[in-house]
Amino acid sequence: MKQQLRPDAFPVLPLTHGIARRFTLVCVCVFLAMLIFPALLSAQQLSRVKIYIPHNKISKLRDAGIEFDHGYYDFAENSFTNSFEAADVPKIARLGLRYEVLAKDEAADFLAHNSVADFYKNDNSPVTLSGGRVNSQANCQSYTTFVNTPVGFTSGSRAGFYTWPEMQARMDSMVNNYPGLVTKTQIGTTFLGNPMYVIKISDNAAYDDPTEPEVLFTGLHHAREGMSGMNLIFFMQYLLENYSSNAQVKELVDNRQLYFVPIVNVDGYNYNTTAANWNAGSFLRRKNMRNTGGTPAADGSGGYGVDLNRNYAKYFNYNTTGSSGTITSDAYRGPSAFSEPETQAMRAFVNGRRFNLAVNYHCYGNWWIRPNGPAAVATALPQADLDVYTGMANLFTKYNGFVFGNASQTVYEVNGYSDDWFFSDDLTLRKRVFAFSPEIGSSAESFSGSSGFWAQTANIIPIAKKMLFSNFQIAYTGGGYAELQDTSDVVVKTTTGNFGYTVTRKGLVDTPVTVTMIPLENIQTAGSPVTISSIPVFLGTSSGKIAYTLPSGIAAGSRIRYVWKTDVGGISLTDTIVKFYNPSQVFADDMETTGNFAAKWTTSGTGTWGYTTTQAFQGTRALNQSPGANYAANSDQSVTLKTALDLSSSNAAYLSFMLRYDAENQQDRMQLEVSTTGTSGSFAPICGQNTIKENYNSLGNNPAYTGHADGWMRELIDLSSYTGNNNVAFRFRFLSGPSSSEVTSPVLATGFFVDNLKVVKTNLSLLPVQWLEFNAQRSGDASVISWKAEADNKFLQYQLQRSADGITFQTVAVLSQYAGTSYIDETPFRGINYYRVKAVDVNGVYSFSKTAAVNFPVTATAISYYPNPVRDLVNVVVPQSAAETLSFQVSSLTGQVLYTEKKQMTEGSNRVQINLAGLSNGMYVLKIMDKENLVKSVFKIVKK
């Protein structure tokens, strides 16, 4: 039976349950060891070694006096790769463990295999980030293909990594190029007198906005973990370069205060990256530069200095397993808690802020580590706090597949480290801060040689891209954030009714959530937006519905499309929903009738699918790969529809079902597979809206469902490529890894649940046009909009629409097909302009293109306002080339109009005063519109 650790062990990505194979100790020939070890010992450098050892036996290395940092564990082969002092390698042999020396001298190996010329070697040609229920998600291609490398993320001179002066230059460049969005502040001084800097990114970075949630990112507590700093520079540069062109990025920056300390251990990092030390291979220093006595090894490790991530007060000197009192140890904790000026600076800075969430990056191993550090108290978190940590880690590791757990559950226990202090110490001086310490990069991610503490040069950009989704979600989760799931059936049976939804809170701040239904296709009217005032618990839910009316003459089989839009704390999320009005139903199973399983499905492989009462979306049953039991190890089991489906005589077909799951992320998985030659044909996995397609761990670039879903979600799969085929077969295939007899306290590994499955098709032509391309870009003071589409013979016209907020659109031009497929908007308003095209046919059937944004920043000749923040009176300055009547409107973030007034403008400069004295403190939206109610400018105002 498949086993998992108890819920407080690996609640999200429990890769240790069931990955280790039965381990047989392999004797090592002492004679060979004696031949190898003298050369290793004489150099006193770090050697990178792969040891074949069960994951839960790694602590035995520590017990044998072998010192090491977090490393990479390959669960598929039960191997642990790490960097060890050469003097410790013989101890591995004496333990009788099978091992391989991957690099006798890690520093020399790195220099031999890396150069600045490799920096862009594995960069790819990406597409644009997508939206969805969770911002910046991907569903059927590797997430890294959605990420453009920022222009400002250039290579450093140390095999791609920056020196300390180069790092300062990158920070200064951000401040100089984006002065309104970036500030650089010194927060302390290191032992050697170097400045410690924090970079703040926000829409008005110089202003400390008490209404905006704060999130902290740090890197390089340990000086040899260069990728932890490079990852942050990449993310910062990405935010800044995309602020003006990407609405999601702008919303994030406008509604958060993001703080970055790219280098905590400045002295140690500077030591590693000076030309002399780098060229000599002396760049593996971990600690700071305090002169505690002792001489560092040739590579810079060991010797003097203090491990800054063992110097925090919480659990300081808890034991000698999680830190060391020996000054030459790389884990030397220092003489007392906060003895070091670097940690003192961090303490003062954090205690003076209002952080909700902090992420302290390290290298390497692909771990996502939470408190508590010491093994004796590792599982002592209250369940409510553990649920928050689990929910966040589920989201953050969705695409990179990192293993989640506390320190001892990942590799080894620690004490005196940052996360414990952030979360549970000094709480009389500040609020509690949820904190993680991800270990990014692994020895498996290499393109030449093998990676250690310093990632391969060619891998710097891929690792930074791999972390971008996590960084976005960290920033979102630090404030108000939510996910919406559509809960209504794919088949719409009546022309009036309600569409249902469930909103799940994903942010640390309980913020009102407004849900809006935006009609796109074949919806005549939609009900008013709904505001959820509070969802008190993290991962708590709130369900509701919004009314709809379809056109009275709508034909059976017509497609219906709308957008669910959620607004929470200034962050908008959208999800396009597709349904059909009374289509032809090809197959359906609600899983409620026990006898239907044998009649409709057939199973094969090493396991038994069936209906279960453990979970159900509706009714009492759902389809599951191991009903009523924990799923089996080493499974490859399928459940196949007994009868192939006839999708011929149709223009479109869709497969819809409800889905929830809890499995090892990117290890145990379910694939939906299709055959075009019947039930005995060859099956291949297909993509859905919720599949993940990465090349990490066991996924192998195949789309699959894996990890954890917080509740039921609707899956909809477009089968258009299979229409015209009368022999289409489907199956669900479940695959799991091996088991371990060494894991204690097993609980059910629930796996995958499917409910309310339907396949529908229609003969109707669904669109007046097939959209091929849509673009909008700035050209001087105008917007140039162009599109490509294939129109049918019922096409009537294109309607170009524009919006200031992405919700309320107004038609600015009407064009027939023969008038062309481009338009120049010569009068865009200042700020972001959202454009889309509505295509209408002679019967009134319509569809929309995608939406694109064009930003026109406010200039001296444009409408402006002051002060901001404002106490009572806000002054609006309106330059006019001619007399005009304008409307001034103030509304809440949810769209409620609170003030409106028309004013006559004269030629020249006009000043209008708006009195906000009657409004409570908070954030508001100011719109200025012309006599046609077209928006000329829109601003965000803070009243305090």
Side-chain angles (χ1 to χ4, degrees):
M1 305 295 278
K2 188 71 171 180
Q3 294 179 314
Q4 284 182 307
L5 295 179
R6 54 191 181 276
D8 63 351
F10 279 97
V12 182
L13 306 172
L15 297 186
T16 56
H17 86 261
I19 300 300
R21 297 185 182 93
R22 181 177 299 174
F23 184 81
T24 302
L25 295 180
V26 178
C27 294
V28 179
C29 177
V30 176
F31 174 73
L32 291 177
M34 294 178 65
L35 291 177
I36 297 172
F37 294 148
L40 297 176
L41 286 168
S42 62
Q44 289 299 309
Q45 73 276 328
L46 291 185
S47 299
R48 192 161 55 257
V49 181
K50 178 189 287 189
I51 306 171
Y52 294 87
I53 182 172
H55 179 269
N56 62 355
K57 301 297 184 183
I58 292 176
S59 60
K60 299 298 183 183
L61 299 175
R62 287 266 172 155
D63 296 340
I66 300 172
E67 189 172 278
F68 57 90
D69 200 355
H70 278 86
Y72 174 68
Y73 194 85
D74 187 329
F75 292 94
E77 63 180 23
N78 286 348
S79 68
F80 180 53
T81 301
N82 213 323
S83 303
F84 300 92
E85 291 288 348
D88 284 338
V89 178
K91 300 176 184 177
I92 300 171
R94 286 196 290 270
L95 289 174
L97 297 173
R98 182 166 65 95
Y99 68 93
E100 300 172 30
V101 178
L102 303 179
K104 185 173 70 173
D105 184 336
E106 181 166 312
D109 179 75
F110 181 87
L111 291 176
H113 290 99
N114 293 274
S115 70
V116 174
D118 294 330
F119 189 73
Y120 294 104
K121 180 178 179 180
N122 293 291
D123 199 9
N124 54 25
S125 300
V127 295
T128 305
L129 279 169
S130 65
R133 289 182 304 275
V134 174
N135 271 350
S136 307
Q137 67 182 6
N139 61 0
C140 206
Q141 61 189 113
S142 172
Y143 181 78
T144 60
T145 63
F146 282 75
V147 182
N148 283 295
T149 301
V151 174
F153 188 71
T154 54
S155 61
S157 60
R158 300 296 180 256
F161 291 92
Y162 300 128
T163 64
W164 164 232
E166 289 170 346
M167 187 77 82
Q168 293 181 83
R170 294 309 316 144
M171 292 188 281
D172 290 339
S173 173
M174 295 179 195
V175 175
N176 295 332
N177 289 318
Y178 307 94
L181 301 178
V182 186
T183 59
K184 174 187 171 189
T185 306
Q186 184 174 342
I187 61 171
T189 303
T190 66
F191 180 78
L192 294 182
N194 283 309
M196 293 176 62
Y197 292 118
V198 61
I199 296 293
K200 176 186 175 184
I201 294 180
S202 190
D203 59 334
N204 189 355
Y207 169 59
D208 186 6
D209 190 338
T211 69
E212 292 184 348
E214 297 183 351
V215 180
L216 174 65
F217 299 82
T218 75
L220 285 161
H221 268 81
H222 295 144
R224 63 191 178 195
E225 300 172 8
M227 197 63 223
S228 67
M230 296 294 283
N231 157 58
L232 297 183
I233 297 296
F234 185 99
F235 181 44
M236 288 188 283
Q237 197 70 42
Y238 190 94
L239 291 174
L240 298 172
E241 290 187 19
N242 289 278
Y243 178 80
S244 296
S245 59
N246 187 307
Q248 291 181 7
V249 172
K250 187 177 189 304
E251 278 189 342
L252 176 61
V253 172
D254 286 355
N255 293 282
R256 296 289 187 271
Q257 295 191 135
L258 305 177
Y259 291 85
F260 300 85
V261 182
I263 308 181
V264 175
N265 187 354
V266 176
D267 291 347
Y269 187 76
N270 190 39
Y271 172 95
N272 283 336
T273 57
T274 57
N277 288 337
W278 187 269
N279 294 332
S282 185
F283 50 74
L284 291 174
R285 164 164 287 277
R286 168 185 169 98
K287 301 182 289 185
N288 77 350
M289 297 294 288
R290 178 179 290 277
N291 188 2
T292 55
T295 303
D299 58 16
S301 61
Y304 53 85
V306 172
D307 182 344
L308 298 180
N309 206 36
R310 303 295 183 271
N311 192 242
Y312 286 83
K314 187 66 175 180
Y315 300 125
F316 178 82
N317 193 19
Y318 187 86
N319 57 31
T320 57
T321 302
S323 66
S324 175
T326 303
I327 61 173
T328 55
S329 168
D330 267 335
Y332 175 54
R333 68 179 76 94
S336 61
F338 288 118
S339 62
E340 305 312 294
E342 294 90 346
T343 53
Q344 292 169 18
M346 290 299 298
R347 176 180 60 182
F349 173 61
V350 172
N351 283 345
R353 300 303 321 161
R354 306 179 304 278
F355 294 120
N356 295 320
L357 178 60
V359 177
N360 305 294
Y361 277 110
H362 292 263
C363 301
Y364 59 97
N366 288 355
W367 312 103
W368 203 275
I369 306 172
R370 65 155 177 89
N372 289 318
V377 294
T379 60
L381 292 182
Q383 188 61 46
D385 293 333
L386 182 59
D387 289 344
V388 176
Y389 270 112
T390 300
M392 287 192 289
N394 273 326
L395 177 59
F396 301 163
T397 62
K398 179 175 181 178
Y399 291 107
N400 56 37
F402 280 24
V403 180
F404 168 65
N406 58 50
S408 58
Q409 291 163 347
T410 52
V411 178
Y412 60 82
E413 68 172 292
V414 297
N415 55 61
Y417 94 119
S418 59
D419 294 5
D420 285 341
W421 176 80
F422 272 94
F423 186 64
S424 58
D425 207 13
D426 276 3
L427 299 187
T428 59
L429 302 177
R430 58 168 170 84
K431 66 192 297 185
R432 180 177 64 171
V433 183
F434 285 87
F436 291 97
S437 284
E439 298 272 353
I440 64 175
S442 76
S443 58
E445 292 172 315
S446 58
F447 300 93
S448 60
S450 57
S451 295
F453 286 115
W454 297 90
Q456 296 288 306
T457 304
N459 209 19
I460 291 174
I461 289 176
I463 291 177
K465 290 184 175 185
K466 181 178 179 179
M467 299 310 302
L468 190 67
F469 178 83
S470 300
N471 287 328
F472 266 114
Q473 304 313 314
I474 291 163
Y476 284 124
T477 303
Y481 198 38
E483 177 182 355
L484 182 145
Q485 290 285 350
D486 181 85
T487 57
S488 297
D489 197 283
V490 68
V491 174
V492 179
K493 296 182 179 179
T494 61
T495 57
T496 60
N498 298 286
F499 291 137
Y501 61 83
T502 295
V503 173
T504 301
R505 175 179 157 188
K506 297 270 183 162
L508 290 173
V509 179
D510 184 12
T511 304
V513 181
T514 297
V515 179
T516 305
M517 187 175 77
I518 306 171
L520 291 182
E521 184 177 2
N522 286 324
I523 296 180
Q524 187 168 306
T525 64
S528 301
V530 175
T531 296
I532 305 165
S533 59
S534 174
I535 303 179
V537 180
F538 189 88
L539 293 185
T541 62
S542 178
S543 298
K545 55 189 177 182
I546 292 181
Y548 69 85
T549 301
L550 308 183
S552 58
I554 187 171
S558 295
R559 188 175 67 176
I560 299 164
R561 289 195 305 156
Y562 58 91
V563 170
W564 285 121
K565 184 173 186 292
T566 58
D567 293 283
V568 50
I571 303 299
S572 301
L573 300 96
T574 58
D575 191 21
T576 300
I577 306 300
V578 176
K579 299 185 185 299
F580 287 87
Y581 178 69
N582 289 322
S584 297
Q585 189 163 285
V586 183
F587 177 85
D589 191 353
D590 62 5
M591 321 300 175
E592 290 303 302
T593 305
T594 304
N596 279 353
F597 182 79
K600 296 184 176 183
W601 303 89
T602 182
T603 62
S604 62
T606 56
T608 304
W609 284 80
Y611 297 156
T612 179
T613 57
T614 304
Q615 294 279 356
F617 172 68
Q618 288 178 334
T620 60
R621 290 179 174 84
L623 182 68
N624 178 250
Q625 81 289 322
S626 53
N630 44 322
Y631 59 74
N634 298 305
S635 286
D636 185 351
Q637 58 190 89
S638 300
V639 59
T640 307
L641 292 182
K642 281 193 170 181
T643 304
L645 305 181
D646 182 1
L647 300 183
S648 62
S649 303
S650 62
N651 291 322
Y654 281 83
L655 169 64
S656 172
F657 55 91
M658 299 303 297
L659 175 68
R660 73 178 301 161
Y661 49 89
D662 188 5
E664 296 180 69
N665 194 26
Q666 300 186 18
Q667 296 290 344
D668 299 344
R669 62 206 185 276
M670 182 181 78
Q671 296 172 181
L672 175 63
E673 299 182 334
V674 62
S675 164
T676 57
T677 54
T679 57
S680 60
S682 176
F683 285 85
I686 60 174
C687 297
Q689 294 179 325
N690 297 288
T691 53
I692 293 174
K693 186 181 180 183
E694 299 289 350
N695 200 26
Y696 311 137
N697 303 319
S698 66
L699 291 189
N701 260 336
N702 290 310
Y705 305 98
T706 186
H708 181 86
D710 296 314
W712 289 94
M713 62 175 63
R714 177 168 297 286
E715 181 61 289
L716 185 71
I717 297 174
D718 187 350
L719 303 177
S720 297
S721 58
Y722 304 102
T723 55
N725 189 312
N726 65 356
N727 198 23
V728 180
F730 293 96
R731 74 180 186 185
F732 291 106
R733 183 183 180 191
F734 171 73
L735 302 101
S736 64
S739 67
S740 170
S741 60
E742 300 161 339
V743 180
T744 59
S745 302
V747 298
L748 288 182
T750 53
F752 298 85
F753 297 88
V754 176
D755 203 355
N756 289 8
L757 187 147
K758 291 184 179 179
V759 178
V760 298
K761 67 179 182 179
T762 180
N763 294 322
L764 296 184
S765 178
L766 299 182
L767 297 174
V769 300
Q770 295 288 335
W771 297 102
L772 303 177
E773 186 177 316
F774 182 78
N775 297 290
Q777 60 186 6
R778 181 179 176 180
S779 177
D781 291 327
S783 296
V784 178
I785 303 96
S786 61
W787 60 95
K788 293 180 181 179
E790 292 181 357
D792 62 23
N793 56 10
K794 295 182 180 180
F795 175 81
L796 177 63
Q797 61 184 208
Y798 293 117
Q799 298 175 7
L800 178 67
Q801 299 183 339
R802 184 179 67 187
S803 170
D805 56 9
I807 300 176
T808 304
F809 283 83
Q810 299 167 317
T811 299
V812 295
V814 176
L815 303 90
S816 71
Q817 179 181 8
Y818 306 104
T821 55
S822 65
Y823 183 82
I824 298 177
D825 181 9
E826 297 180 344
T827 58
F829 51 81
R830 291 293 164 177
I832 293 183
N833 297 251
Y834 296 92
Y835 293 97
R836 71 184 186 188
V837 173
K838 179 180 181 181
V840 185
D841 73 8
V842 294
N843 296 320
V845 178
Y846 60 87
S847 68
F848 288 96
S849 70
K850 71 175 185 178
T851 300
V854 181
N855 187 31
F856 289 85
V858 176
T859 65
T861 59
I863 298 174
S864 61
Y865 69 103
Y866 67 92
N868 189 30
V870 60
R871 183 180 297 276
D872 292 322
L873 294 177
V874 60
N875 299 279
V876 185
V877 179
V878 185
Q880 286 287 118
S881 58
E884 184 180 17
T885 299
L886 299 180
S887 295
F888 295 78
Q889 182 185 95
V890 177
S891 61
S892 68
L893 291 179
T894 61
Q896 181 184 4
V897 178
L898 305 171
Y899 167 94
T900 184
E901 185 177 6
K902 291 186 177 182
K903 296 280 189 179
Q904 179 63 40
M905 302 291 105
T906 62
E907 183 178 352
S909 181
N910 300 263
R911 185 168 72 94
V912 176
Q913 280 195 331
I914 299 175
N915 192 342
L916 304 182
L919 302 181
S920 58
N921 291 345
M923 192 173 297
Y924 300 90
V925 175
L926 169 64
K927 290 182 182 179
I928 298 96
M929 297 170 286
D930 65 15
K931 64 181 181 180
E932 304 295 335
N933 283 328
L934 294 177
V935 178
K936 293 172 67 71
S937 289
V938 59
F939 305 102
K940 185 172 70 173
I941 298 175
V942 176
K943 184 178 185 297
K944 60 177 295 187

